[in-house]
Amino acid sequence: MVFLWVSGRQNPDDVIGLLEQMLAIGLAMIVLFIGQNILLESIVLLLGLRLPGSAKTNL
C-alpha cells in the first residue's frame, strides 16, 4: 500500500498518480475492513504495478 501511495505521489501524470493513490486507499480498506485477505491484496497490487508510466518528453 505504501509503495502504491508513494508511486502515485511521484508520478508526473496526474491521472495515473491519482489512480495509484486510489488503489492504495482500496488496499488499506481491504486490510482494515475485510482482514488479511492476501488474494485481494495481491490482485490490487498487481493491477497497480501494471499501470502505464508517463512518457517523459523533452520539448
Side-chain angles (χ1 to χ4, degrees):
M1 177 187 83
V2 173
F3 175 75
L4 278 175
W5 183 263
V6 171
S7 176
R9 299 276 300 175
Q10 294 176 348
N11 197 332
D13 186 6
D14 292 337
V15 175
I16 299 296
L18 180 63
L19 184 57
E20 287 175 339
Q21 289 177 339
M22 288 174 25
L23 286 172
I25 291 170
L27 277 175
M29 290 173 58
I30 288 171
V31 170
L32 289 175
F33 296 119
I34 298 176
Q36 297 291 333
N37 193 338
I38 301 297
L39 179 62
L40 284 176
E41 292 176 24
S42 300
I43 290 171
V44 173
L45 182 61
L46 288 174
L47 180 67
L49 292 175
R50 292 188 44 94
L51 289 174
S54 64
K56 295 181 181 180
T57 58
N58 294 330
L59 297 175

